[in-house]
Amino acid sequence: MAQMTMIQAINSALDIMLDIDPSVVILGEDVGYFGGVFRCTEGLQKKYGDHRVIDAPIAEGGIIGTAIGLGVNGLRPVAEIQFADYIYPGFDQVVSELARLRYRSDGTFYSPVTIRTPCGGGIRGGQTHSQSPEAIFTHISGLITVMPSNPFDAKGLLVSAIESNDPVIFFEPKRIYNGPFDGDPNNPSVPWSSHPLGEVPEAYYNVPLGKAALVETGHELTIISYGTIVHVAQAAAKLAGVSADIIDVRTLMPLDIDTIRQSVSKTGRCLVAHEATRFCGYGAELVATVQEECFWSLEAPIERVTGWDTPYPHAFEWQYFPGQKRLLAGIRKVMEAK
Amino acid sequence: MSQKSRLHIPHAAARPGETPDFSYLALSPAGAVARPPVDSRMSDIEFLSNDLVRVLDENHAAQGPWNPGLDSSTLLEALRLMVLVRQYDDRMQRMQRQGKITFYVQSLGEEAVSIGGGLALRDSDMLFPAYRNQGLYILRNTGLVEMMSHCLSNTNDFCRGRQMPVFYQNAKNRVFTISGNLATQYPQAVGWAMAAAIKGEDAIAASWVGDGSTAEADFHYALTFAAVYQAPVILNVVNNQWAISTFQGVAGGERRSFAARGLGLGIPGVRVDGNDLLAVYAVTQWAAERARSGGGPTLIELVTYRGGAHSTSDDPTRYRPKDEWAAFPLGDPLHRLKGHLVQAGSWSDEQHLAMEEQMKQYVLDCWKKATTFGTMTEGPFLRVHEMFEDVFEHMPQHLQRQQAQLLELEGI
Ligand SMILES: Cc1ncc(C[n+]2csc(CCOP(=O)(O)OP(=O)(O)O)c2C)c(N)n1
Ligand SMILES: [Mg+2]
């Protein structure tokens, strides 16, 4: 076991996969000599060579399009898109090609591409370095969508993503790259070494895709979330003094419905939270799922806490971000409803 | 010749600890490149995309047919603006280091790109800059207090805290708002220019992208539309040799110049010494004349060097030699223009020092003034409910509700 940040855990997953599978290649902007602007690929080009860890031209459509071709011809590409906010030039290659290759060719062609990309706010990045576009991708049939909330899961899920023959969009919440974040920017920052899930095996392991994690167990309320907000929810539940099941979805598509059903059937109350915008956000899918699966167990309307339906403003980052105050208000509302 | 196919992976000429090496840069002597008429046939002017248009020689004297013959008062104004840009950058960089602003991007070493190009255009021409073109905003009288206020996201910020620092705008003086997404402004500039032509106006558009950004599809869309409709637009590629950690070869600059990117579409390309204000001015003027006389688009590659870090989030000592800028064969644009004015007898070292001091003081005064509109820690602050405005022209009900919810939570 070692103490790892999320960045180190991701680096470790990539290192292991490059090592054990000669078909794995990495490509992206600044990923080679430099090791990535967030340093997730540090040292890998030096170790595995410039044909396996490739500095790409600044063209997200080109990166994803060529990754598809590399994959069709037997390689296992891991593409890095420097910020999720910059994935859109590659959108057509994802939606019309990557996601549907298997379906349109009756299973003849597929490309096992993993697209890693940092997402989310809380780093003063303004509207072009803060977005959480996961719901745009979960809406597309044929894509696996993942967002880990800690180093242990990040490594294990990334290994599974690379091993998956289906394409995976792997979102990395950059606010928690270096430590968990409880949603209050005035609190001193906490390193991953103080968190149990910052303990990461150095060797190979995986965390299966499609399985949620129950990060807290309780009996009064179920909070369903993923990414940075998992930590905010834990802090808010504690503040509220409520005994809550907190589910970290981890894999957004396909969704682990069983874990959700079991929990909400037990607690009878549910709050759904994410950082992304609200309207047609992933929370809407979660709410619909809970309603379909657990309607007769519900004792209160399902509550939803999200980012506002505006672009991410630079000046009002902390009023935009659904922090403890907003989660607390949501928890109270769902607990008080009769 | 090997019998197997193989990949060529571009590698920078020098990395940290190695000796800077610019032998890959093709240079022409000052004054050596011909200045063809603006209505020349494509096939007669292809050389402009390979050669390097230069006016200022090693002794800072102006040479050859591209000398725009600017009078000394215009040149002194250009020099003053370049000094102002550098002083502005210097202060803002330090303010970021002190935590007063969240982010900053310098244009150190590239000042002639914006000042030379901007001066050669008319006030009615529309500019679509990239994030390293602060010189264009300063040249178009944006006001340092306003630019600083924006970087502070304070109550005087022209985009009311919506964007992170350096994403300026100046609608009144025809400079577009900057996007964080690379090259998106390029086809938009072409569209603007097409509209000017459709409306029968003689204004033209100009846009700027970095060498790295030319890889984006938007760059190629812009070239295609500009070529097909012969739009009155000037498309500039600022080749400062680096795109964060990747050198210009990763964007495809190893075998042909960026200026040559448009040749296949029939767009003339001009490769120019981007650190030579006179050459930048002359080439921009040439392209503007072509555009205004129905000659269509021109692609200009400005060969320069990114003297500073990519941004305040970057540490270039990790990927390039520390002394690379000092070894760059095209020098420092500011020193070169100053040298030119000194050798022409219209400027002196003493005058220059005094002017630098004056600009520095002016920038400091502007900073003090800007902070009276609020800083990140001290009011006055923007009002939080303003974050919901301008998503749409009229605020829909769901946003009104969210706004009310936030105000209630904040106890306002
Ligand atoms: C679509 C998109 N992809 C990636 C980025 C991240 N990024 C910002 S600047 C930059 C390098 C740009 O280099 P270049 O075009 O040469 O301009 P320079 O910084 O040298 O002025 C990158 C990759 C972005 N802003 N937008
Ligand atoms: Mg560049």
Side-chain angles (χ1 to χ4, degrees):
Chain A
M1 283 290 205
Q3 296 290 345
M4 291 192 201
T5 66
M6 200 137 133
I7 291 167
Q8 291 164 331
I10 287 162
N11 185 272
S12 171
L14 294 169
D15 190 356
I16 287 169
M17 293 312 290
L18 282 161
D19 186 40
I20 64 174
D21 182 349
S23 70
V24 171
V25 292
I26 293 176
L27 74 166
E29 296 158 17
D30 301 289
V31 301
Y33 184 89
F34 188 45
V37 296
F38 290 103
R39 324 231 41 82
C40 289
T41 55
E42 184 158 28
L44 298 178
Q45 187 184 67
K46 199 163 186 193
K47 193 162 172 191
Y48 297 99
D50 61 7
H51 281 57
R52 297 193 62 203
V53 183
I54 305 171
D55 274 322
I58 304 171
E60 293 73 15
I63 291 169
I64 297 170
T66 50
I68 295 172
L70 290 164
V72 167
N73 198 5
L75 298 187
R76 204 163 273 278
V78 185
E80 175 178 307
I81 299 298
Q82 201 162 82
F83 285 87
D85 314 60
Y86 301 139
I87 202 166
Y88 310 117
F91 200 52
D92 190 38
Q93 288 288 344
V94 173
V95 176
S96 311
E97 305 299 320
L98 185 58
R100 293 196 225 135
L101 215 46
R102 183 184 298 284
Y103 190 77
R104 83 174 190 223
S105 67
D106 196 21
T108 312
F109 290 104
Y110 69 94
S111 187
V113 175
T114 299
I115 300 176
R116 296 180 35 244
T117 188
C119 70
I123 61 150
R124 285 284 186 185
Q127 49 144 17
T128 53
H129 302 86
S130 307
Q131 294 166 38
S132 296
E134 63 272 11
I136 300 176
F137 295 89
T138 55
H139 192 63
I140 306 304
S141 309
L143 297 176
I144 292 174
T145 305
V146 174
M147 194 189 296
S149 72
N150 58 72
F152 182 89
D153 284 353
K155 176 169 173 178
L157 285 166
L158 184 54
V159 166
S160 295
I162 297 171
E163 288 177 338
S164 164
N165 285 339
D166 286 321
V168 180
I169 314 291
F170 192 88
F171 287 106
E172 301 169 2
K174 59 177 116 51
R175 172 70 211 203
I176 54 172
Y177 263 155
N178 288 308
F181 174 59
D182 69 5
D184 185 343
N186 300 316
N187 285 344
S189 60
V190 182
W192 277 115
S193 55
S194 66
H195 193 283
L197 293 169
E199 284 274 307
V200 180
E202 276 165 288
Y204 173 98
Y205 68 93
N206 63 38
V207 170
L209 300 172
K211 286 269 173 293
L214 199 56
V215 296
E216 302 267 1
T217 48
H219 58 272
E220 295 175 300
L221 170 68
T222 301
I223 300 178
I224 313 176
S225 191
Y226 51 89
T228 307
I229 305 298
V230 170
H231 304 278
V232 185
Q234 283 178 289
K238 203 185 238 170
L239 269 181
V242 61
S243 163
D245 264 2
I246 300 183
I247 297 175
D248 176 357
V249 172
R250 302 195 292 194
T251 303
L252 281 63
M253 168 54 92
L255 176 62
D256 178 358
I257 295 173
D258 290 345
T259 299
I260 291 174
R261 186 197 316 107
Q262 279 157 19
S263 174
V264 180
S265 306
K266 173 184 74 180
T267 63
R269 291 174 196 265
C270 180
L271 178 141
V272 162
H274 56 62
E275 188 181 333
T277 47
R278 183 180 192 85
F279 197 89
C280 283
Y282 188 71
E285 184 62 39
L286 289 174
V287 170
T289 301
V290 171
Q291 192 276 141
E292 284 161 11
E293 299 289 325
C294 313
F295 181 77
W296 301 108
S297 315
L298 285 173
E299 291 163 31
I302 307 160
E303 187 58 25
R304 193 156 51 123
V305 179
T306 65
W308 309 117
D309 286 322
T310 74
Y312 218 113
H314 177 256
F316 293 114
E317 176 144 62
W318 299 116
Q319 285 83 358
Y320 180 89
F321 184 91
Q324 291 183 16
K325 212 196 267 182
R326 296 232 291 274
L327 272 144
L328 206 53
I331 292 171
R332 295 222 166 99
K333 193 167 164 206
V334 72
M335 293 314 293
E336 283 159 16
K338 296 238 170 57
Chain B
M1 232 0 204
S2 139
Q3 294 301 299
K4 280 191 200 154
S5 73
R6 73 214 187 295
L7 293 186
H8 163 76
I9 307 282
H11 283 290
R15 290 295 192 180
E18 296 173 350
T19 310
D21 178 5
F22 286 105
S23 56
Y24 68 85
L25 265 190
L27 304 175
S28 314
V33 180
R35 184 186 189 281
V38 295
D39 58 356
S40 301
R41 287 206 320 257
M42 255 314 276
S43 53
D44 295 336
I45 52 174
E46 282 195 18
F47 67 92
L48 288 175
S49 65
N50 294 317
D51 298 349
L52 187 69
V53 174
R54 305 176 73 185
V55 173
L56 293 175
D57 68 14
E58 302 83 79
N59 303 317
H60 309 308
Q63 305 290 355
W66 287 93
N67 181 0
L70 297 170
D71 58 31
S72 63
S73 71
T74 307
L75 289 177
L76 279 171
E77 176 57 5
L79 184 68
R80 188 189 69 83
L81 286 165
M82 280 165 69
V83 170
L84 182 56
V85 172
R86 192 166 289 186
Q87 290 296 336
Y88 173 72
D89 274 355
D90 184 61
R91 168 139 300 269
M92 297 309 276
Q93 177 82 4
R94 281 187 290 124
M95 294 304 92
Q96 196 282 338
R97 287 293 176 240
Q98 291 178 21
K100 302 278 199 311
I101 59 174
T102 56
F103 174 80
Y104 194 67
V105 172
Q106 291 178 288
S107 63
L108 186 64
E110 302 179 29
E111 294 89 348
V113 166
S114 294
I115 302 302
L119 278 175
L121 296 169
R122 295 182 188 163
D123 289 348
S124 53
D125 297 335
M126 180 75 180
L127 313 181
F128 290 80
Y131 50 84
R132 221 178 287 286
N133 290 120
Q134 50 266 57
L136 291 171
Y137 290 92
I138 290 177
L139 176 91
R140 287 272 174 110
N141 294 317
T142 306
L144 294 195
V145 174
E146 278 63 41
M147 292 172 70
M148 289 166 162
S149 295
H150 157 66
C151 291
L152 284 158
S153 273
N154 72 18
T155 55
N156 190 41
D157 175 5
F158 38 58
C159 65
R160 283 202 285 174
R162 270 46 172 299
Q163 294 229 69
M164 66 193 288
V166 317
F167 294 156
Y168 309 109
Q169 62 182 17
N170 185 344
K172 190 164 92 337
N173 295 345
R174 297 204 161 188
V175 202
F176 200 53
T177 154
I178 292 184
S179 168
N181 302 59
L182 299 172
T184 47
Q185 78 278 20
Y186 233 47
Q188 296 163 4
V190 174
W192 195 99
M194 288 168 64
I198 290 168
K199 295 193 289 180
E201 296 164 0
D202 68 356
I204 65 171
S207 189
W208 287 259
V209 290
D211 47 299
S213 305
T214 62
E216 291 286 3
D218 284 354
F219 173 83
H220 302 270
Y221 299 152
L223 262 56
T224 302
F225 279 68
V228 167
Y229 300 112
Q230 292 290 288
V233 63
I234 303 176
L235 299 169
N236 296 281
V237 175
V238 184
N239 180 1
N240 61 7
Q241 315 306 316
W242 290 96
I244 310 184
S245 74
T246 59
F247 84 112
Q248 50 91 27
V250 176
E254 282 184 307
R255 272 161 292 274
R256 289 215 74 174
S257 71
F258 291 94
R261 287 285 161 91
L263 294 186
L265 286 159
I267 300 178
V270 189
R271 196 167 162 262
V272 61
D273 177 346
N275 289 357
D276 176 342
L277 180 118
L278 296 177
V280 174
Y281 183 98
V283 161
T284 308
Q285 195 181 39
W286 185 84
E289 211 180 307
R290 282 193 78 243
R292 261 186 257 284
S293 57
T298 306
L299 182 64
I300 299 175
E301 174 184 350
L302 302 118
V303 180
T304 181
Y305 187 82
R306 198 191 77 208
H310 170 72
S311 73
T312 48
S313 311
D314 177 45
D315 173 12
T317 62
R318 283 175 177 272
Y319 55 77
R320 66 181 192 185
K322 273 203 182 79
D323 52 349
E324 206 183 44
W325 190 26
F328 185 61
L330 302 179
D332 177 332
L334 220 154
H335 293 164
R336 286 174 68 192
L337 183 61
K338 178 199 152 203
H340 175 63
L341 285 158
V342 171
Q343 67 89 40
S346 36
W347 197 237
S348 70
D349 286 337
E350 297 72 50
Q351 283 173 305
H352 193 78
L353 276 177
M355 190 253 276
E356 248 172 21
E357 222 18 73
Q358 201 190 344
M359 291 300 118
K360 193 178 195 159
Q361 187 58 43
Y362 174 63
V363 169
L364 179 61
D365 293 345
C366 288
W367 173 259
K368 285 183 183 154
K369 177 92 194 288
T371 57
T372 64
F373 295 102
T375 68
M376 277 161 49
T377 48
E378 278 163 55
F381 295 110
L382 289 162
R383 291 167 309 163
V384 68
H385 67 266
E386 296 179 41
M387 107 162 85
F388 295 92
E389 294 169 8
D390 300 314
V391 181
F392 296 96
E393 185 177 8
H394 305 292
M395 197 185 295
Q397 192 184 34
H398 74 286
L399 283 181
Q400 289 175 20
R401 281 192 191 171
Q402 292 178 17
Q403 190 184 43
Q405 206 182 329
L406 176 63
L407 289 179
E408 193 188 314
L409 271 166
E410 297 282 319
I412 299 169

